[in-house]
Structures are given as structure tokens and as C-alpha cells.
Amino acid sequence: MPLKDIQDRVSKAEAKAGRVPGSVKLIAVSKVQPDARVAAVLDQGHRYFGENRVQEAAGKWPSFRETYGEITVDLIGPLQTNKTRQAMELFQAIHTLDRPKLAKTFARLAQEMGQCPDLFVQVNTGEEAQKAGVSPADADAFVAECRALDLPIAGLMCIPPVDEEPSLHFALLAKIAERNGLTGLSMGMSSDFESAIALGATHIRVGSAIFGDRV
């Protein structure tokens, strides 16, 4: 689907939900996409992307930034603790803070480096064993722990189970965010971003709808 069509759908969903126009950030998920497809989206003026792996992003974005100038790239995939420093140098935000060990590593490196990207706490709203994220019951305590470490917690992120109604998970995430005074909600993908916007998403992660199926 052309990028313009996705942008139009986002604008319509914002209007329908009574949201401020432009309040939802569209993250084009460029993981494992060929450079030609990414360049085509850049050529249309889009400058906000999401990557799943540190190594892939490190090999892709420096050259694109040389050609296209300033580009925002967020990490939306799991982060190994030993890649934290590289991730902090590469990404403007990291959406997958999911455990105390990683939080402590961010805090230590932020002191050392004098900067830290915005962080989203990943909540495993479906409590799926195979999926990363803190459980909804532990989310409040983990957010408090991160704040005690002076980490810049911008919001929460979730990936609903594939076989459940996503809006239930979006509503749960919004409720956890509200009671913790967090405004950022990274939720919604190609198949469900309109319902995520209706329930307060500030960042939606759209891949296949923009780029086509992954190669």
C-alpha cells in the first residue's frame, strides 16, 4: 500500500478519535527490507523508522543518513544486554526495556555517556511465555524502579497475542500508562493500528503495509 494511503488512514483515525492531527508517530518498520525499498520510502519524505536488530541497523543507517540527512530510527526488537552501548549510540528511542538487568545497564551507561535515548517499557499484556516484557502485574513496580535509576521512561509498548482481540490489550496498556503518568503508547501494527490510535497510541509500528512482505 502506498505510504500516502497509510498516512491518510492515520489522519482519519486521529480525527475519528478526536486526537490532535499529527499526534501519532508512524514508525516504518524497515527490518530485513532491501535497501531499495527503504530508499523508496525515504524518497517520499518519510524520516521515522524502526529496526529489530542492532547489527542490521548499524549496517544500514549511517549511509542512509549521509544521503538523506536527519533520520529517526528506533529499536523495536529485543535488546541483548551486551549490545546496550551500541544501541544507545544508534537509536533515538528503544521500545523494548523489559528487565531489571537491562535497566541497570542503561543507567550505568547513561552516566558514563552523558545521554540516553527515550525508553519504553515493554509489557507482555498477553502474559505469553515465549514473549519478552514485564507482566501487567509487575509493570508499576518496574516503572518505579526505572524512574529511581533516573531513566527517561517515555511510555509503554506491547505486542498483543496474534489470536486475541488487540483492542483489549491496547486498553490494558493505556490503563497501566495512565496510572503511572506516562503519555507514550507504542502499540498497533499493520493490521490493527486504527484501533490502537482510537485507544491512545502515540507510536504505531507499520511494516508490511508500507514495504510489502518481508524478504
Side-chain angles (χ1 to χ4, degrees):
M1 185 175 288
L3 176 65
K4 172 96 174 51
D5 289 1
I6 301 288
Q7 291 167 332
D8 287 347
R9 284 172 59 188
V10 170
S11 297
K12 281 183 184 145
E14 284 175 336
K16 190 175 175 187
R19 304 279 300 274
V20 175
S23 58
V24 178
K25 293 183 169 66
L26 171 60
I27 302 175
V29 179
S30 45
K31 61 182 183 183
V32 302
Q33 292 291 350
D35 284 359
R37 286 190 188 176
V38 179
V41 173
L42 283 161
D43 286 339
Q44 293 172 72
H46 196 71
R47 292 293 183 271
Y48 201 157
F49 294 82
E51 289 286 340
N52 254 45
R53 292 195 173 89
V54 176
Q55 292 305 108
E56 185 184 344
K60 180 186 292 180
W61 289 103
S63 60
F64 276 134
R65 284 181 169 134
E66 276 180 29
T67 306
Y68 291 94
E70 197 171 316
I71 301 167
T72 300
V73 185
D74 290 359
L75 181 68
I76 58 169
L79 178 60
Q80 296 168 286
T81 310
N82 64 352
K83 299 264 175 67
T84 308
R85 181 189 294 276
Q86 191 180 11
M88 289 172 73
E89 290 166 348
L90 266 174
F91 299 106
Q92 281 65 62
I94 292 168
H95 294 235
T96 49
L97 174 53
D98 62 352
R99 58 197 186 278
K101 183 182 179 187
L102 186 57
K104 286 172 184 148
T105 304
F106 274 123
R108 176 175 58 78
L109 289 171
Q111 289 289 324
E112 191 182 305
M113 298 163 73
Q115 59 90 23
C116 186
D118 285 341
L119 301 171
F120 289 76
V121 170
Q122 182 171 353
V123 182
N124 186 350
T125 53
E127 303 194 61
E128 298 173 276
Q130 80 282 11
K131 209 171 265 181
V134 297
S135 75
D138 296 334
D140 296 355
F142 185 60
V143 168
E145 184 179 342
C146 292
R147 283 175 163 157
L149 291 167
D150 276 337
L151 292 176
I153 303 300
L156 306 178
M157 180 270 237
C158 76
I159 304 168
V162 292
D163 55 352
E164 292 185 21
E165 172 52 51
S167 59
L168 299 173
H169 296 269
F170 300 152
L172 173 60
L173 196 73
K175 189 184 286 186
I176 298 169
E178 185 178 19
R179 69 172 180 247
N180 283 284
L182 291 166
T183 54
L185 287 169
S186 173
M187 60 189 197
M189 297 187 280
S190 290
S191 60
D192 55 25
F193 67 80
E194 278 124 333
S195 69
I197 291 170
L199 288 161
T202 56
H203 298 68
I204 57 172
R205 310 179 304 271
V206 179
S208 57
I210 293 172
F211 292 102
D213 289 334
R214 279 178 280 173
V215 175

